[in-house]
Amino acid sequence: AFQHVFKSIESSPQQQFLVRAAYLEIYNEEIRDLLSKNPKEKLELKDHPEKGVYVKDLSDFIVKGVDQLYQVMEAGQKNRSVASTLMNNESSRSHSIFTITVESAEPGTNGEQSVKSGKLNMVDLAGSERQSKTGATGDTLKEATKINLSLSALGNVISALVDTKANS
C-alpha cells in the first residue's frame, strides 16, 4: 500500500501532493496517540459538522516517501500496548489504526486550485482471547475482557449493517 501511494504520486507530475501519517490505538476503550511524546495520554473522539468524526489532538507527520512512512509506523509500533500470555510472548492489548492522508492540488478548469483529499486506514484488531488458554490474570485479564467486548460490539455493528442492506 505504501509503495502504491507514492507510485501514484510519481505518475501525476501535474499535481502537488501532501502525504501525512497518524497512528492511534484503542486500549481499554481509551484512544491513545502512538506518535505522541506522551503515548499513554487519553484523547477525545469528536464530531464536527464538516470534518466528520475525528480524534482531537491526534498528531500526524508529513512524509515524503515509502521509507519515511515505514519509519513513522515503526515509531508508533514501539508504543503499542503489549503483554506476554501463554499463547503469545508479545500479545497486542489494543486495536490500532494507522492512517495515511493524501491531499492533492491541481489547477481547476476555472483557473483556481482544485483540492482533493483521501484517507487509507489500516486497522489491526487485537485477537479475541480465552482466559483458560492465555493464562491471563490481573490487568491482562481486564484487557482481554475489553478486547472481547469491543470485538463483540464490532460484530454487532457489522451484523446490523448487513441486516439493513438485506432488508432494503
Side-chain angles (χ1 to χ4, degrees), residues 10-161:
E10 289 170 11
S11 69
S12 302
Q14 71 282 6
Q15 294 176 293
Q16 294 178 317
F17 288 90
L18 177 66
V19 181
R20 294 177 288 130
Y23 202 3
L24 66 83
E25 77 174 347
I26 303 169
Y27 172 78
N28 281 341
E29 299 182 2
E30 291 183 356
I31 300 169
R32 297 176 172 183
D33 184 347
L34 293 172
L35 301 174
S36 167
K37 289 180 178 154
N38 185 3
K40 303 294 183 201
E41 184 178 335
K42 180 182 174 185
L43 299 181
E44 295 180 60
L45 193 62
K46 296 285 188 177
D47 193 2
H48 187 274
E50 292 173 19
K51 288 183 359 181
V53 177
Y54 69 100
V55 178
K56 184 180 178 197
D57 298 327
L58 180 65
S59 56
D60 61 4
F61 290 87
I62 295 172
V63 291
K64 301 287 186 189
V66 172
D67 290 342
Q68 285 184 350
L69 210 42
Y70 276 114
Q71 288 171 357
V72 171
M73 181 179 254
E74 288 170 9
Q77 192 69 23
K78 291 176 184 172
N79 293 323
R80 289 275 317 259
S81 298
V82 296
S84 180
T85 70
L86 294 177
M87 295 184 69
N88 190 344
N89 281 342
E90 283 197 19
S91 175
S92 62
R93 311 313 298 159
S94 65
H95 309 300
S96 69
I97 304 172
F98 185 79
T99 302
I100 302 169
T101 303
V102 179
E103 296 176 11
S104 67
E106 65 181 326
T109 54
N110 60 0
E112 291 187 24
Q113 287 282 74
S114 171
V115 178
K116 296 178 185 175
S117 179
K119 287 187 179 187
L120 171 63
N121 291 301
M122 293 185 276
V123 179
D124 178 19
L125 297 175
S128 63
E129 298 189 353
R130 294 196 186 282
Q131 191 274 336
S132 60
K133 290 186 177 183
T134 62
T137 59
D139 285 345
T140 308
L141 180 59
K142 185 173 94 172
E143 293 163 350
T145 301
K146 296 284 188 182
I147 289 167
N148 290 341
L149 281 171
S150 64
L151 290 172
S152 178
L154 177 61
N156 291 341
V157 168
I158 292 169
S159 291
L161 290 171

